[in-house]
Amino acid sequence: MTGVAAAGRGPLADRGSAGTDSALAARLRLAVGRLHRRLSRTTGPGLTASQLSALVTVEQHGPMRVGDLAAREGVSPPTVTRIATSLEALGLLERTVDPADGRASRLVASAAGGAALESVRRERTAFLAERLDRLPPSDRAALVSAVEVLERLVEDD
């Protein structure tokens, strides 16, 4: 077996077997993980990965209570409170009165928070676009199909 094939990068000859599906899944996991780590190096204006994740969640899912954000992020409410307080101090997150319960507050991304997220997205897209420009047309065409498949893989059931 060649070094490339032994490392899991060779052709997948027997596509129908469970072992091959497992090998493909492992290669995909590794490639997606490496790409994610590379893109995650861009977190915006001095934000931690946790702050960026919380800000994205609030922006995507609308105003929410701290407990709801904690549940979505999979962390404890005290952790989310610290993250939200730091984002609020940076002017990226705002607290508003919850109309259903005037004693409670909801978190909402501020205009500055939205702008920070847009900046991160632009930088990450530019990185990928520059890498795509280096590829031959046949590889870019293959990626068009691959992206469609990846989008189906991550669709909610």
Side-chain angles (χ1 to χ4, degrees), residues 6-131:
R9 297 175 190 254
L12 299 172
D14 185 13
R15 285 191 45 90
S17 75
T20 301
D21 287 346
S22 180
L24 176 59
R27 288 179 61 202
L28 179 60
R29 176 189 47 77
L30 183 61
V32 168
R34 286 179 174 166
L35 181 59
H36 179 264
R37 280 190 300 279
R38 175 55 189 91
L39 292 174
S40 293
R41 291 181 194 156
T42 306
T43 58
L47 299 179
T48 66
S50 297
Q51 289 171 320
L52 182 62
S53 179
L55 187 56
V56 166
T57 298
V58 170
E59 182 203 42
Q60 289 180 346
H61 299 285
M64 63 179 58
R65 291 183 177 192
V66 168
D68 296 331
L69 179 57
R72 284 194 177 272
E73 291 292 297
V75 296
S76 70
T79 297
V80 166
T81 297
R82 282 191 299 277
I83 292 169
T85 299
S86 67
L87 289 169
E88 193 174 12
L90 292 169
L92 304 176
L93 202 65
E94 298 172 349
R95 291 181 194 263
T96 62
V97 175
D98 187 335
D101 181 355
R103 298 167 296 167
S105 64
R106 296 188 310 175
L107 304 171
V108 62
S110 68
L117 291 176
E118 185 55 35
S119 174
V120 169
R121 291 177 181 126
R122 267 194 315 275
E123 189 172 337
R124 289 177 177 184
T125 298
F127 167 79
L128 285 173
E130 186 271 327
R131 293 291 175 103

Side-chain angles (χ1 to χ4, degrees), residues 140-152:
R140 287 195 305 272
L143 278 173
V144 169
S145 296
V147 167
E148 291 169 0
V149 172
L150 288 170
E151 289 169 342
R152 286 195 306 270

